[in-house]
Amino acid sequence: MSLTGTQTRYTISEVEALTGLSQHTLRWYERIGLMPHVDRSHSGQRRFSDTDLRWLSFVGKLRATGMSVADMVTYAELVREGEHTVDRRRELLERTRRDVRARIAELTDALAVLDFKIDLYTGKAARE
C-alpha cells in the first residue's frame, strides 16, 4: 500500500520483467484459474497488484517442488473458497512436502555417487 492508500498496479509487461514469466504464461495462469481475478484498466488491460506478485512468487515455489499444475489449480481454488478449506490445503502441501523430501533423498544419494566417481577419476579415492 502506498501512503495515499492506493496499491501499486503493474502492467503485464512489468510483471513479465519482474517475475520472468512470459505474458503467455501469465494469461494461461489466469485462464486455467491458477491466478485469482486480475483487475483490468478502463481499456481492458490487466493490472496486477502487489498481492498478485506475491501469489505468483508462491506459485513459483510450488512449481519448483514439482507440484502438478492440476494440484496448483486445486490449491488456488481452495484458497478462493475460504477458511473452511484450510485442512485440505494443508494436506495438499504436506503431501507435496513428502514428495520433495523423497526427491531430496534421491538426489543426495545420486550426488554421493557422483562425488565418489569424480574423486575416483581425480585420484582422490586411490590416495585415501
Side-chain angles (χ1 to χ4, degrees):
M1 247 343 163
S2 72
L3 294 176
T4 62
T6 59
Q7 202 176 52
T8 304
R9 298 291 175 181
Y10 305 91
T11 65
I12 197 167
S13 296
E14 291 168 327
V15 173
E16 178 180 41
L18 289 167
T19 65
L21 296 169
S22 71
Q23 292 181 33
H24 173 78
T25 297
L26 292 165
R27 289 183 191 105
W28 181 63
Y29 279 4
E30 188 178 7
R31 191 170 50 253
I32 65 172
L34 188 52
M35 274 296 296
H37 170 75
V38 176
D39 286 338
R40 304 281 179 147
S41 69
H42 66 280
S43 62
Q45 293 180 326
R46 288 170 180 83
R47 293 291 182 206
F48 294 83
S49 67
D50 290 322
T51 301
D52 294 329
L53 291 180
R54 285 189 297 276
W55 176 256
L56 287 169
S57 176
F58 178 67
V59 167
K61 300 297 185 212
L62 294 179
R63 284 179 40 225
T65 70
M67 182 185 274
S68 70
V69 172
D71 280 349
M72 287 189 284
V73 170
T74 297
Y75 183 86
E77 289 169 349
L78 291 170
V79 168
R80 284 191 292 272
E81 286 179 30
E83 288 300 311
H84 70 279
T85 66
V86 167
D87 289 340
R88 289 171 47 206
R89 286 183 259 165
R90 188 191 73 251
E91 290 167 6
L92 181 60
L93 294 176
E94 286 174 345
R95 186 178 75 233
T96 301
R97 180 175 59 190
R98 284 190 301 275
D99 294 345
V100 167
R101 285 185 171 155
R103 283 194 12 245
I104 289 170
E106 289 173 15
L107 289 171
T108 299
D109 289 343
L111 182 59
V113 170
L114 290 173
D115 287 343
F116 173 78
K117 284 294 195 180
I118 290 168
D119 288 347
L120 184 68
Y121 295 142
T122 59
K124 284 185 181 181
R127 290 189 293 246
E128 294 176 356

